[in-house]
Structures are given as C-alpha cells and as structure tokens.
Amino acid sequence: MNIKEVKVTEVGPRDGFQSEKTILKTEDKIDIINNLIEAGFPRIEVSSFVSPKAIPQLADAESILSKVNRSSKTTLAALVPNSRGALRAVEAKLDQIVVFLSASESHNKKNVNRSVDESLQGFRDIAEIAGKNNIPIQGDIATAFGCPFEGNISSKKLANISKEYKQMGFKGVTLGDTTGMATPVVVKDAINAIRDNVPDFNITLHFHNTRGVGLANVMTGLNEGITDYESCFGGMGGCPFAPNATGNICSEDLIYLLHEMGIETGIDLDKTIAIAKKVESLVGHKLPGQVMRAGHRLLSYSMDEVPTAVGA
Ligand code: COA
Ligand code: ZN
C-alpha cells in the first residue's frame, strides 16, 4: 500500500442526525458543522433536501446552509432526491449535490418510493438543474454490499449503475453499506467490477459497523488504492428505512487508524474527539465510538491514578 493521503467525509449531520429520534436544534447542528469545518474536514454532508415527511430530522437544511461559516477548504454536500430538492439546493448555494438510489429494488422502493430505473431517470432532471448552476454531483448507491430484503447484490449491478452515473457526468460513485453487510471479499469484488467496467471513475466507500468489520473493510479499500471514505462522529448513523441499520464507521476511530499508519487526512483528531463528545451530550445517550473514550494510544497516565492489585 502506498497511500499517503486520504479524504475523509463527515456524514454525521446527515446520516447521524437522520437516525436520531430526538430532533436536534438547528443552532446546535450549525455549531457542530462549524466545529467540523474548523477541525479540517475536506467534505461534510450537512443535511438532505428530501421530503420533511420522510426525514423530519433534516427539515432545516436551508437554515443550516445559510448560517454555517463556509470555508474554501470544505465542500458542503447534501442529499437530493428529486428536481424539487435540486432547486432547493441551488437556492441554498449548496457546493455539491449527492443523488442516491439503492442497488436493491425493494430498498429503493422503501426509501424513495420508486424503481431503480425511475430513480436513474429522475437523476437526469437533477443533473440538468445542477449543470445549469455549475453544481457537481456525486452518485451514491445504497445497499451496495447487500440488502436486508434481497440479500447479495451483484457487483455487475454496481458497475452498471456506476456507468450510468459516469455518463451523466457525475464526479464519482459512493458505495454505501447501509446495513453493514460488506466484508473484505465483497468489497474487493465490487471495486474490481467497477474499475473493470467504468475506468477512471472515482470510488468512495461508506461503511457501517453493524457487524464489527467496518475498519477491516477500510483496510481492504486502502489495499485496493481507494483514497475516499465516509464516516460519522461517534459512530452514529443509520437509515430509518432499513431494518437493523446501525452506526457508520466512526470518524475518530478512522482518523486515528489512518494517522497511525502515516496517512495524512488534514483533520485534527483531538478536535474531532471533542466534537463526538459534544454530540454525545446533545443526543443524551452513549455513542459507540471507541477512540473518543480511550484517547490516543500514547496517552500517558500517572501510576497513582490506578490501584495496585491486592497482594501484588
Ligand atoms: N423537498 C421537500 N418536500 C418534498 C420533496 C423535497 N425534495 N420532494 C417531495 N416533497 C414533498 C411533496 O411536496 C409531498 O408533500 P405533500 O404530501 O404535502 O404534498 C410529499 O413530499 C410527497 O411527495 P411525492 O412527490 O409524492 O413523493 P413520495 O411520497 O413518492 O416520496 C421522496 C419520494 C423521494 C420525496 C421521499 O421518499 C423522500 O424524501 N425520501 C428520502 C429518503 C431518505 O432520505 N432516506 C435516507 C437516506 S439513504
Ligand atoms: Zn450511511
């Protein structure tokens, strides 16, 4: 592996907050996003321009975009499901539109109430609006590594959707592991299928740690030369329209791993840990992140802080 730099996208304000029962105050979300920009994240998914009936937690996308402290170093991205969402995104001066569909027909129906072909057709209208306004598009594929309703997803299907994305002029494809069904074998297969059929198309990996193999999947991605990953503060996250969907891989844990491997991210780990702790206190329950609790590996303690075993 000869990777020196990785781009980490923080998806917490979208993937994390959409999965919380409590709806956070807009001011608190803005504060967290400002902290993320300050910590050096090159790209943040700040919200979604979806129907507030589908995701009431993200109904304040416009307010957020009008009030955050923008920086030329951070791309602000958000999910857009249809033309209406694209027009809202243009009005809000979003930096990057993220369109999304599920590789599985059944999850796509649950999530956006249409077939995969209908979704792709709708993306052409979004691309037209985005093109006129010079807004780049990233194309997500949810349930890319397995679907809770349909099981395995063929890598050919991922390649075919990616081909359509490339033809529509998208920047790249994000493979989303909505319910944590990815394994190193499945990930490698998906990357190879896309590379073989859609050369020179950027691949981003978005893993959930549902079955504890999130960072192992990242290692597979790194070994295959993938340099773009998405993660969430404290390991929050999950899709409300998929059974047993739990948290994304955790941003602090991922950044810690990358830095320890000598891979640059440009992100301040201490600031990221502080953000995870702040989010934890805002949502009022324990988050699954580990480095936010354990700290750096060379964090040193005074021996007086720890009791000595009886009889030692
Ligand atoms: N922004 C705001 N409101 C929107 C909207 C948008 N982009 N798109 C649709 N709506 C509103 C419509 O006006 C309508 O409201 P009404 O009932 O008051 O008339 C309602 O949402 C339903 O619209 P409709 O066009 O009939 O769509 P639908 O019911 O088939 O839903 C989606 C389709 C895509 C809009 C909806 O399923 C959705 O937003 N899904 C998001 C899923 C998601 O974000 N999942 C997590 C990420 S993986
Ligand atoms: Zn996710």
Side-chain angles (χ1 to χ4, degrees), residues 139-154:
D140 279 12
I141 307 180
T143 65
F145 304 105
C147 164
F149 310 112
E150 292 179 18
N152 285 329
I153 295 294
S154 88

mmCIF file with all atom_site columns, all heavy atoms in Angstrom, residues 139-154:
data_model
loop_
_atom_site.group_PDB
_atom_site.id
_atom_site.type_symbol
_atom_site.label_atom_id
_atom_site.label_alt_id
_atom_site.label_comp_id
_atom_site.label_asym_id
_atom_site.label_entity_id
_atom_site.label_seq_id
_atom_site.pdbx_PDB_ins_code
_atom_site.Cartn_x
_atom_site.Cartn_y
_atom_site.Cartn_z
_atom_site.occupancy
_atom_site.B_iso_or_equiv
_atom_site.pdbx_formal_charge
_atom_site.auth_seq_id
_atom_site.auth_comp_id
_atom_site.auth_asym_id
_atom_site.auth_atom_id
_atom_site.pdbx_PDB_model_num
ATOM 1   N N   . GLY A 1 139 ? -22.737 10.462  -7.001  1.00 0.00 ? 139 GLY A N   1
ATOM 2   C CA  . GLY A 1 139 ? -23.828 9.483   -7.029  1.00 0.00 ? 139 GLY A CA  1
ATOM 3   C C   . GLY A 1 139 ? -23.644 8.386   -5.991  1.00 0.00 ? 139 GLY A C   1
ATOM 4   O O   . GLY A 1 139 ? -22.669 7.645   -6.031  1.00 0.00 ? 139 GLY A O   1
ATOM 5   N N   . ASP A 1 140 ? -24.569 8.310   -5.053  1.00 0.00 ? 140 ASP A N   1
ATOM 6   C CA  . ASP A 1 140 ? -24.495 7.257   -4.028  1.00 0.00 ? 140 ASP A CA  1
ATOM 7   C C   . ASP A 1 140 ? -25.247 6.005   -4.495  1.00 0.00 ? 140 ASP A C   1
ATOM 8   O O   . ASP A 1 140 ? -26.273 6.113   -5.171  1.00 0.00 ? 140 ASP A O   1
ATOM 9   C CB  . ASP A 1 140 ? -25.169 7.721   -2.725  1.00 0.00 ? 140 ASP A CB  1
ATOM 10  C CG  . ASP A 1 140 ? -24.271 8.603   -1.876  1.00 0.00 ? 140 ASP A CG  1
ATOM 11  O OD1 . ASP A 1 140 ? -23.226 9.052   -2.372  1.00 0.00 ? 140 ASP A OD1 1
ATOM 12  O OD2 . ASP A 1 140 ? -24.638 8.839   -0.708  1.00 0.00 ? 140 ASP A OD2 1
ATOM 13  N N   . ILE A 1 141 ? -24.748 4.865   -4.091  1.00 0.00 ? 141 ILE A N   1
ATOM 14  C CA  . ILE A 1 141 ? -25.512 3.618   -4.253  1.00 0.00 ? 141 ILE A CA  1
ATOM 15  C C   . ILE A 1 141 ? -25.666 3.014   -2.856  1.00 0.00 ? 141 ILE A C   1
ATOM 16  O O   . ILE A 1 141 ? -24.688 2.557   -2.252  1.00 0.00 ? 141 ILE A O   1
ATOM 17  C CB  . ILE A 1 141 ? -24.805 2.588   -5.166  1.00 0.00 ? 141 ILE A CB  1
ATOM 18  C CG1 . ILE A 1 141 ? -24.441 3.211   -6.519  1.00 0.00 ? 141 ILE A CG1 1
ATOM 19  C CG2 . ILE A 1 141 ? -25.691 1.358   -5.342  1.00 0.00 ? 141 ILE A CG2 1
ATOM 20  C CD1 . ILE A 1 141 ? -23.744 2.235   -7.483  1.00 0.00 ? 141 ILE A CD1 1
ATOM 21  N N   . ALA A 1 142 ? -26.886 3.044   -2.325  1.00 0.00 ? 142 ALA A N   1
ATOM 22  C CA  . ALA A 1 142 ? -27.139 2.450   -1.006  1.00 0.00 ? 142 ALA A CA  1
ATOM 23  C C   . ALA A 1 142 ? -27.309 0.935   -1.165  1.00 0.00 ? 142 ALA A C   1
ATOM 24  O O   . ALA A 1 142 ? -27.501 0.444   -2.276  1.00 0.00 ? 142 ALA A O   1
ATOM 25  C CB  . ALA A 1 142 ? -28.383 3.073   -0.390  1.00 0.00 ? 142 ALA A CB  1
ATOM 26  N N   . THR A 1 143 ? -27.246 0.232   -0.082  1.00 0.00 ? 143 THR A N   1
ATOM 27  C CA  . THR A 1 143 ? -27.307 -1.244  -0.038  1.00 0.00 ? 143 THR A CA  1
ATOM 28  C C   . THR A 1 143 ? -26.369 -1.876  -1.083  1.00 0.00 ? 143 THR A C   1
ATOM 29  O O   . THR A 1 143 ? -26.676 -2.913  -1.671  1.00 0.00 ? 143 THR A O   1
ATOM 30  C CB  . THR A 1 143 ? -28.748 -1.815  -0.243  1.00 0.00 ? 143 THR A CB  1
ATOM 31  O OG1 . THR A 1 143 ? -29.215 -1.512  -1.564  1.00 0.00 ? 143 THR A OG1 1
ATOM 32  C CG2 . THR A 1 143 ? -29.729 -1.285  0.782   1.00 0.00 ? 143 THR A CG2 1
ATOM 33  N N   . ALA A 1 144 ? -25.204 -1.242  -1.299  1.00 0.00 ? 144 ALA A N   1
ATOM 34  C CA  . ALA A 1 144 ? -24.298 -1.693  -2.363  1.00 0.00 ? 144 ALA A CA  1
ATOM 35  C C   . ALA A 1 144 ? -23.684 -3.060  -2.079  1.00 0.00 ? 144 ALA A C   1
ATOM 36  O O   . ALA A 1 144 ? -23.319 -3.784  -3.005  1.00 0.00 ? 144 ALA A O   1
ATOM 37  C CB  . ALA A 1 144 ? -23.187 -0.664  -2.560  1.00 0.00 ? 144 ALA A CB  1
ATOM 38  N N   . PHE A 1 145 ? -23.546 -3.406  -0.803  1.00 0.00 ? 145 PHE A N   1
ATOM 39  C CA  . PHE A 1 145 ? -22.853 -4.657  -0.469  1.00 0.00 ? 145 PHE A CA  1
ATOM 40  C C   . PHE A 1 145 ? -23.796 -5.714  0.082   1.00 0.00 ? 145 PHE A C   1
ATOM 41  O O   . PHE A 1 145 ? -23.361 -6.726  0.648   1.00 0.00 ? 145 PHE A O   1
ATOM 42  C CB  . PHE A 1 145 ? -21.737 -4.376  0.536   1.00 0.00 ? 145 PHE A CB  1
ATOM 43  C CG  . PHE A 1 145 ? -20.750 -3.342  0.054   1.00 0.00 ? 145 PHE A CG  1
ATOM 44  C CD1 . PHE A 1 145 ? -20.752 -2.057  0.556   1.00 0.00 ? 145 PHE A CD1 1
ATOM 45  C CD2 . PHE A 1 145 ? -19.821 -3.670  -0.926  1.00 0.00 ? 145 PHE A CD2 1
ATOM 46  C CE1 . PHE A 1 145 ? -19.847 -1.102  0.113   1.00 0.00 ? 145 PHE A CE1 1
ATOM 47  C CE2 . PHE A 1 145 ? -18.906 -2.728  -1.382  1.00 0.00 ? 145 PHE A CE2 1
ATOM 48  C CZ  . PHE A 1 145 ? -18.921 -1.435  -0.863  1.00 0.00 ? 145 PHE A CZ  1
ATOM 49  N N   . GLY A 1 146 ? -25.100 -5.457  -0.039  1.00 0.00 ? 146 GLY A N   1
ATOM 50  C CA  . GLY A 1 146 ? -26.075 -6.414  0.469   1.00 0.00 ? 146 GLY A CA  1
ATOM 51  C C   . GLY A 1 146 ? -27.331 -5.666  0.885   1.00 0.00 ? 146 GLY A C   1
ATOM 52  O O   . GLY A 1 146 ? -27.264 -4.501  1.274   1.00 0.00 ? 146 GLY A O   1
ATOM 53  N N   . CYS A 1 147 ? -28.477 -6.336  0.754   1.00 0.00 ? 147 CYS A N   1
ATOM 54  C CA  . CYS A 1 147 ? -29.754 -5.685  1.058   1.00 0.00 ? 147 CYS A CA  1
ATOM 55  C C   . CYS A 1 147 ? -30.494 -6.507  2.111   1.00 0.00 ? 147 CYS A C   1
ATOM 56  O O   . CYS A 1 147 ? -30.528 -7.742  2.026   1.00 0.00 ? 147 CYS A O   1
ATOM 57  C CB  . CYS A 1 147 ? -30.579 -5.594  -0.217  1.00 0.00 ? 147 CYS A CB  1
ATOM 58  S SG  . CYS A 1 147 ? -32.308 -5.247  0.107   1.00 0.00 ? 147 CYS A SG  1
ATOM 59  N N   . PRO A 1 148 ? -31.098 -5.838  3.106   1.00 0.00 ? 148 PRO A N   1
ATOM 60  C CA  . PRO A 1 148 ? -31.794 -6.597  4.153   1.00 0.00 ? 148 PRO A CA  1
ATOM 61  C C   . PRO A 1 148 ? -33.021 -7.337  3.627   1.00 0.00 ? 148 PRO A C   1
ATOM 62  O O   . PRO A 1 148 ? -33.517 -8.251  4.278   1.00 0.00 ? 148 PRO A O   1
ATOM 63  C CB  . PRO A 1 148 ? -32.195 -5.515  5.164   1.00 0.00 ? 148 PRO A CB  1
ATOM 64  C CG  . PRO A 1 148 ? -32.153 -4.229  4.417   1.00 0.00 ? 148 PRO A CG  1
ATOM 65  C CD  . PRO A 1 148 ? -31.126 -4.392  3.344   1.00 0.00 ? 148 PRO A CD  1
ATOM 66  N N   . PHE A 1 149 ? -33.511 -6.956  2.436   1.00 0.00 ? 149 PHE A N   1
ATOM 67  C CA  . PHE A 1 149 ? -34.681 -7.634  1.878   1.00 0.00 ? 149 PHE A CA  1
ATOM 68  C C   . PHE A 1 149 ? -34.296 -8.635  0.791   1.00 0.00 ? 149 PHE A C   1
ATOM 69  O O   . PHE A 1 149 ? -34.927 -9.667  0.623   1.00 0.00 ? 149 PHE A O   1
ATOM 70  C CB  . PHE A 1 149 ? -35.659 -6.615  1.264   1.00 0.00 ? 149 PHE A CB  1
ATOM 71  C CG  . PHE A 1 149 ? -35.991 -5.473  2.190   1.00 0.00 ? 149 PHE A CG  1
ATOM 72  C CD1 . PHE A 1 149 ? -35.556 -4.185  1.911   1.00 0.00 ? 149 PHE A CD1 1
ATOM 73  C CD2 . PHE A 1 149 ? -36.725 -5.696  3.346   1.00 0.00 ? 149 PHE A CD2 1
ATOM 74  C CE1 . PHE A 1 149 ? -35.857 -3.134  2.764   1.00 0.00 ? 149 PHE A CE1 1
ATOM 75  C CE2 . PHE A 1 149 ? -37.029 -4.648  4.209   1.00 0.00 ? 149 PHE A CE2 1
ATOM 76  C CZ  . PHE A 1 149 ? -36.586 -3.357  3.921   1.00 0.00 ? 149 PHE A CZ  1
ATOM 77  N N   . GLU A 1 150 ? -33.224 -8.325  0.025   1.00 0.00 ? 150 GLU A N   1
ATOM 78  C CA  . GLU A 1 150 ? -32.892 -9.149  -1.157  1.00 0.00 ? 150 GLU A CA  1
ATOM 79  C C   . GLU A 1 150 ? -31.604 -9.952  -1.025  1.00 0.00 ? 150 GLU A C   1
ATOM 80  O O   . GLU A 1 150 ? -31.282 -10.744 -1.909  1.00 0.00 ? 150 GLU A O   1
ATOM 81  C CB  . GLU A 1 150 ? -32.781 -8.248  -2.400  1.00 0.00 ? 150 GLU A CB  1
ATOM 82  C CG  . GLU A 1 150 ? -34.104 -7.659  -2.819  1.00 0.00 ? 150 GLU A CG  1
ATOM 83  C CD  . GLU A 1 150 ? -34.003 -6.755  -4.043  1.00 0.00 ? 150 GLU A CD  1
ATOM 84  O OE1 . GLU A 1 150 ? -33.006 -6.826  -4.787  1.00 0.00 ? 150 GLU A OE1 1
ATOM 85  O OE2 . GLU A 1 150 ? -34.933 -5.956  -4.232  1.00 0.00 ? 150 GLU A OE2 1
ATOM 86  N N   . GLY A 1 151 ? -30.828 -9.713  0.025   1.00 0.00 ? 151 GLY A N   1
ATOM 87  C CA  . GLY A 1 151 ? -29.573 -10.463 0.185   1.00 0.00 ? 151 GLY A CA  1
ATOM 88  C C   . GLY A 1 151 ? -28.438 -9.881  -0.642  1.00 0.00 ? 151 GLY A C   1
ATOM 89  O O   . GLY A 1 151 ? -28.291 -8.661  -0.727  1.00 0.00 ? 151 GLY A O   1
ATOM 90  N N   . ASN A 1 152 ? -27.657 -10.751 -1.286  1.00 0.00 ? 152 ASN A N   1
ATOM 91  C CA  . ASN A 1 152 ? -26.479 -10.297 -2.037  1.00 0.00 ? 152 ASN A CA  1
ATOM 92  C C   . ASN A 1 152 ? -26.845 -9.385  -3.200  1.00 0.00 ? 152 ASN A C   1
ATOM 93  O O   . ASN A 1 152 ? -27.891 -9.534  -3.818  1.00 0.00 ? 152 ASN A O   1
ATOM 94  C CB  . ASN A 1 152 ? -25.716 -11.504 -2.598  1.00 0.00 ? 152 ASN A CB  1
ATOM 95  C CG  . ASN A 1 152 ? -24.931 -12.213 -1.513  1.00 0.00 ? 152 ASN A CG  1
ATOM 96  O OD1 . ASN A 1 152 ? -24.481 -11.581 -0.555  1.00 0.00 ? 152 ASN A OD1 1
ATOM 97  N ND2 . ASN A 1 152 ? -24.771 -13.518 -1.663  1.00 0.00 ? 152 ASN A ND2 1
ATOM 98  N N   . ILE A 1 153 ? -25.932 -8.463  -3.482  1.00 0.00 ? 153 ILE A N   1
ATOM 99  C CA  . ILE A 1 153 ? -26.094 -7.553  -4.625  1.00 0.00 ? 153 ILE A CA  1
ATOM 100 C C   . ILE A 1 153 ? -24.983 -7.908  -5.613  1.00 0.00 ? 153 ILE A C   1
ATOM 101 O O   . ILE A 1 153 ? -23.823 -8.017  -5.211  1.00 0.00 ? 153 ILE A O   1
ATOM 102 C CB  . ILE A 1 153 ? -25.923 -6.086  -4.157  1.00 0.00 ? 153 ILE A CB  1
ATOM 103 C CG1 . ILE A 1 153 ? -27.040 -5.682  -3.173  1.00 0.00 ? 153 ILE A CG1 1
ATOM 104 C CG2 . ILE A 1 153 ? -25.835 -5.120  -5.338  1.00 0.00 ? 153 ILE A CG2 1
ATOM 105 C CD1 . ILE A 1 153 ? -28.435 -5.628  -3.728  1.00 0.00 ? 153 ILE A CD1 1
ATOM 106 N N   . SER A 1 154 ? -25.332 -8.061  -6.876  1.00 0.00 ? 154 SER A N   1
ATOM 107 C CA  . SER A 1 154 ? -24.269 -8.452  -7.817  1.00 0.00 ? 154 SER A CA  1
ATOM 108 C C   . SER A 1 154 ? -23.391 -7.244  -8.131  1.00 0.00 ? 154 SER A C   1
ATOM 109 O O   . SER A 1 154 ? -23.874 -6.108  -8.267  1.00 0.00 ? 154 SER A O   1
ATOM 110 C CB  . SER A 1 154 ? -24.867 -9.048  -9.096  1.00 0.00 ? 154 SER A CB  1
ATOM 111 O OG  . SER A 1 154 ? -25.140 -8.034  -10.024 1.00 0.00 ? 154 SER A OG  1
#
